[in-house]
Amino acid sequence: MAQLTLVQALNEALRHELREDPRTLVFGEDVGRLGGVFRVTDGLQEEFGERRVFDTPLAESAIVGSAIGLALAGWRPVCEIQFDGFSYPALDQVITNLAKYRGRTRGRAALPVTIRIPSGGGIGGPEHHGESPETYYAHTAGLKVVAPSGPAEGYQLLRAAIRDPDPVIFLEPKSRYWTKEEVDAAAAGRLGQARIVREGTHATLIAWGAMTARCLQAAEAAAEDGVELEVVDCRSLVPLDVDTLSASVRKTGRAVVVHEAPLTAGFGAEISARLMETIFRDLKAPVLRVTGYDIPYPAAAVEAAYLPDLDRILTAVQKVLDY
Amino acid sequence: MPSLRPDQLKELYRLMAFTRRVDQEAVALQRQGELTAFPPLTGQEAAQVGSAYALQRQDFAFPSYREMGVAIVRGVDLVEYLRAYRGDWNGGLYDLYAHNFGPIASSVGSHALHAVGWAMGAALDGGGKAAIVYFGEGATSEGDVHEAMNFAGIFRAPVVFFVQNNQWAISVPVARQTAAPIHRKAEAYGFPGLRIDGNDVLAVHAATAEALERARAGGGPTLIEALTYRLGAHSTADDPTRYRQAAEVEPWRAQDPLLRLAAQIDDEDFTRQVVEEVEERVRDLRTRLLSAPRAEPEEMFEFVYAEPPATLAAQREELRQWHS
């Protein structure tokens, strides 16, 4: 057990997997000598050499496309796309090839590729540095989509993602990079399981990534008024642990889904629909969503007004309680 | 490069003649409603067969959607190949690793990056292997092809970019794809590029063998531009009379790669015998193709993930009940 930031925890997870499996590779822009713009790959090239940890040219489609080829040759690539908003040049390789290759080869070519993408807003970044692209990936069959909420989750889920036989899009919440937490370096993670991070009885807050911590803050605030909120961290959007979500909302009867991405066709819509399909009779109020607005991610000076905050979350909670 | 022996020339002729005949048969099968669509390669047999003939077992070929000649040289079962065009399975049903021949790639140019990645991986494993990736002059306009060549140059990946410049990307001529000769693009990426007569199977073989050997030995990538001509339509859904004149096509018929190789072999008994052999093989292929089992709806749920997530398993079950 150690106190680690999310950056350090992810670095440890990469180090662990590079040590355990000599076929694991880490590459992307600035991940070598610099150790990544967020230092997630700090020291890895020194320890594992330039063959296994290397810088690529500035070309996202080629990072993913070459990862596909490396996987076909029996390697286990972990590549980094530097920021969410720059993952789109690689989207064609992800959708057209990475997600479909197992199928196109009738299961003969698995692509155990992990694509790490620092995601989400809240750090005062410039344009294209604050987006939440999870829906694009979740809508693409053949991919797994993982979004850790903090250091302990980040460590376990990244190790599980790298070991997974399918391609995994691993969305790292930038605004949580410097949060410290106890990390158990022996604990192995599993994909596809949500986690109850706070138990409660009146309503359930459902989130992933950075919004999990925001929901916990909201739950603490609500508790001061005698409202006990349960908080569920999805951890993985694909596969989605509908059972855990449904069980929680069946218990509380009310749910609010919180995410940074825009409302329309956001992943909250999927969760809301799943809850309605599975536990409609147990719902005491409509499932509400607190999300980013339907606008391009805004400039840094106003991003705080865009991101779901305690007021908006608690207002939604009040609505489902009053319904 | 050692020149090819007479028996190898005859083997090349057999492969090219078989490719031509299967190509014609596939078009006929589409007209009869047995294939959903097919992109014919007639006219490009020397480029495909000659280059693939230079491959060794450990090398890996990444085809686009028009490389049936390469598939034939690699030993891919054509029933498993053509069932992709019969609409039974996207990408083909063959085992890519059994033949080191990738799935049929219809997204133009995107597979160039896979060849480069595979080649980078082969180099990490100690070398001695090379990748070859096939695409047309139209694909050179795609960003992925640029990125692939740039990566290949920087990582000195053992890969051969084999461009069949067949003059037309559906209806758009090569002059609308690039303002510069394709083979010269290699210079910008720091590796050799050459232009060859793509209808001369010996030239194709010699150039490809040399490029592959250099790649296997750690000498990095090569771009080969094989000048050839698509004598048929882009696909069975295409009508080339809408965009090119018969007068343009005729001179290329005189450059038919099969006629040219036959003239070199100069053995009428042999070529006549090949025609008979090929007819019999195509009859057998047709029978096996048409009697192969058709895809079942439930199969579409296979191979999406190693283990289907619960939602997918539920959807498969729902479909199974609809069909039972």
Side-chain angles (χ1 to χ4, degrees), chain A residues 90-129:
Chain A
L91 208 50
D92 177 49
Q93 281 293 336
V94 171
I95 294 173
T96 304
N97 293 294
L98 183 66
K100 295 186 172 85
Y101 226 94
R102 178 186 286 279
R104 294 170 66 214
T105 59
R106 292 182 70 80
R108 293 174 183 114
L111 297 181
V113 174
T114 303
I115 302 180
R116 298 181 33 247
I117 310 176
S119 295
I123 63 163
E127 192 178 15
H128 314 301
H129 292 67

Side-chain angles (χ1 to χ4, degrees), chain B residues 18-208:
Chain B
F18 183 56
T19 300
R20 168 75 55 91
R21 186 61 190 84
V22 178
D23 198 60
Q24 293 167 340
E25 187 67 17
V27 172
L29 282 163
Q30 193 278 336
R31 299 294 182 237
Q32 294 155 21
E34 300 291 355
L35 299 184
T36 57
F38 184 76
L41 67 92
T42 290
Q44 299 175 223
E45 294 87 351
Q48 296 193 10
V49 171
S51 57
Y53 197 71
L55 291 166
Q56 295 176 358
R57 176 68 192 83
Q58 76 277 13
D59 300 330
F60 205 113
F62 288 84
S64 78
Y65 49 81
R66 202 191 297 283
E67 268 72 62
M68 191 167 64
V70 180
I72 286 170
V73 178
R74 292 306 270 172
V76 174
D77 176 32
L78 290 182
V79 172
E80 296 190 335
Y81 182 88
L82 287 171
R83 284 186 67 197
Y85 295 105
R86 194 154 159 74
D88 280 333
W89 196 265
N90 293 330
L93 286 94
Y94 51 88
D95 180 348
L96 75 165
Y97 291 122
H99 311 283
N100 277 4
F101 180 79
I104 293 168
S106 313
S107 178
V108 172
S110 74
H111 60 305
L113 286 164
H114 312 155
V116 171
W118 186 93
M120 289 164 68
L124 285 172
D125 271 323
K129 303 177 191 177
I132 188 167
V133 56
Y134 291 89
F135 48 87
E137 82 290 344
T140 64
S141 303
E142 290 281 1
D144 273 359
V145 170
H146 156 66
E147 291 190 20
M149 292 194 191
N150 191 43
F151 260 52
I154 282 161
F155 292 106
R156 288 182 72 75
V159 59
V160 176
F161 297 98
F162 193 92
V163 183
Q164 290 169 83
N165 177 356
N166 71 8
Q167 314 302 322
W168 292 94
I170 307 188
S171 68
V172 178
V174 62
R176 191 42 75 94
Q177 300 296 344
T178 175
I182 287 168
H183 67 103
R184 287 198 55 203
K185 292 172 191 283
E187 194 182 331
Y189 302 110
F191 54 81
L194 63 157
R195 173 182 274 176
I196 59 171
D197 179 349
N199 285 12
D200 176 350
V201 71
L202 301 184
V204 171
H205 176 265
T208 314

Side-chain angles (χ1 to χ4, degrees), chain B residues 8 36-37 65 91 98 103 117 119 130 144 148 157 183 185 188 199 205 216-217 222 226 235 242 273 283 304 317 319:
Chain B
Q8 290 177 306
T36 57
Y65 49 81
D144 273 359
H183 67 103
K185 292 172 191 283
N199 285 12
H205 176 265
R216 290 185 206 108
T222 304
S235 81
R242 289 177 69 92
Q273 179 199 331
R283 264 198 305 277
V304 183
E317 188 51 34
L319 181 114

